[in-house]
């Protein structure tokens, strides 16, 4: 019980939860923006317009990773930073090629992973925790629902019947938060960071 209590009062548990759930809106934005950007670039590949479009795509990727780096620093306690700016003073084409170095492709992969993996995981976590909270507060809403809760084999509709959901919801919520605490190290590795120190830093991609 002491372990459960420590996890439940640990702020890091809830920061990890916020990081996972943040993939739902952000992962969708990153996915739509990157797919749209690359589709336009490929559609105009043989035209001069592809050059400014690729430049815009590069800076868009850097902006997205800057947001992700800040989220990782704030919620996962890792030293993460966005992609560095392109080199200057070496001519236009050297500058242009530099836009797609220094982890650009890894940054793109990270942003897509936030959609491919992060979005469904975030939805699943949201559903589990919402269900748990719904059970915990069942006595506050089931008596006021017409016909009670429809569970197929059972339709609880009174305050006393709704109390049966409370311990189930507490256990489900506790288990979900414990799993988050256990998987915290994986989240930090996924954000490509390391625990904060005074003399080290790492990129988000």
């Amino acid at each position: 019980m002491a372990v459960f209590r420590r996890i439940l009062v640990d702020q890091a548990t809830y920061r990890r939860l916020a990081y996972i759930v943040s993939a739902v809106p952000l992962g969708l934005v990153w996915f739509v923006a990157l797919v749209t950007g690359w589709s336009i670039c490929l559609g105009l590949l043989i035209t001069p317009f592809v050059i400014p479009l690729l430049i815009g795509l590069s800076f868009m990727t850097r902006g997205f990773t800057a947001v992700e780096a800040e989220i990782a620093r704030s919620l996962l306690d890792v030293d993460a930073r966005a992609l560095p700016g392109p080199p200057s003073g070496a001519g236009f084409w050297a500058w242009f090629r530099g836009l797609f170095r220094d982890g650009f492709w890894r940054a793109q992969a990270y942003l897509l992973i936030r959609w491919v993996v992060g979005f469904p995981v975030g939805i699943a976590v949201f559903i589990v925790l919402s269900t748990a909270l719904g059970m915990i507060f069942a006595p506050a809403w089931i008596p006021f629902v017409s016909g009670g809760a429809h569970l197929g084999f059972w339709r609880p509709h009174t305050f006393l019947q709704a109390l049966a959901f409370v311990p189930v919801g507490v256990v489900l919520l506790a288990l979900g938060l414990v799993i988050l605490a256990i998987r915290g190290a994986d989240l930090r590795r996924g954000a490509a960071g390391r625990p904060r120190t005074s003399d080290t830093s790492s990129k988000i991609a």
Side-chain angles (χ1 to χ4, degrees), residues 29-43:
V29 172
W30 304 161
F31 177 77
V32 171
L34 291 179
V35 169
T36 301
W38 278 113
S39 297
I40 296 174
C41 289
L42 292 174

Side-chain angles (χ1 to χ4, degrees), residues 156-170:
H157 60 279
T158 67
F159 177 83
L160 292 178
Q161 290 174 332
L163 287 176
F165 291 98
V166 176
V168 178
V170 171

Side-chain angles (χ1 to χ4, degrees), residues 124-172:
V125 169
F126 179 79
I127 291 174
V128 169
L129 296 182
S130 298
T131 301
L133 292 174
M135 289 182 173
I136 292 173
F137 294 101
W141 62 270
I142 284 182
F144 303 99
V145 175
S146 178
H150 296 266
L151 302 179
F153 61 92
W154 184 40
R155 293 188 179 183
H157 60 279
T158 67
F159 177 83
L160 292 178
Q161 290 174 332
L163 287 176
F165 291 98
V166 176
V168 178
V170 171
V171 171
L172 185 61

Side-chain angles (χ1 to χ4, degrees), residues 3-194:
V3 175
F4 281 91
R5 192 180 304 111
R6 185 167 60 252
I7 291 174
L8 292 175
V9 300
D10 188 359
Q11 293 184 359
T13 301
Y14 301 96
R15 291 199 299 269
R16 292 170 190 140
L17 172 62
Y19 175 80
I20 291 175
V21 175
S22 71
V24 176
L26 293 180
L28 179 61
V29 172
W30 304 161
F31 177 77
V32 171
L34 291 179
V35 169
T36 301
W38 278 113
S39 297
I40 296 174
C41 289
L42 292 174
L44 299 175
L45 185 61
I46 60 174
T47 72
F49 297 106
V50 72
I51 301 299
L53 287 172
L54 287 173
I55 293 173
L57 181 64
S58 172
F59 280 100
M60 181 178 70
T61 300
R62 283 169 165 75
F64 290 168
T65 55
V67 173
E68 286 288 345
E70 180 60 32
I71 291 174
R73 285 194 298 267
S74 301
L75 300 180
L76 299 182
D77 199 30
V78 297
D79 279 321
R81 55 188 174 88
L83 292 172
S88 58
F92 175 78
W93 291 111
W95 175 84
F96 180 76
R97 289 191 298 272
L99 292 174
F100 304 97
R101 296 173 182 168
D102 297 322
F104 172 82
W105 299 107
R106 285 184 290 135
Q108 292 252 313
Y110 177 85
L111 295 172
L112 290 176
I113 287 173
R114 282 283 270 170
W115 159 256
V116 175
V117 177
F119 185 87
V121 170
I123 291 292
V125 169
F126 179 79
I127 291 174
V128 169
L129 296 182
S130 298
T131 301
L133 292 174
M135 289 182 173
I136 292 173
F137 294 101
W141 62 270
I142 284 182
F144 303 99
V145 175
S146 178
H150 296 266
L151 302 179
F153 61 92
W154 184 40
R155 293 188 179 183
H157 60 279
T158 67
F159 177 83
L160 292 178
Q161 290 174 332
L163 287 176
F165 291 98
V166 176
V168 178
V170 171
V171 171
L172 185 61
L173 179 62
L175 287 177
L177 295 178
V178 167
I179 292 173
L180 283 177
I182 294 173
R183 305 302 293 179
D186 292 335
L187 288 175
R188 295 170 70 161
R189 284 194 295 269
R194 292 190 294 266

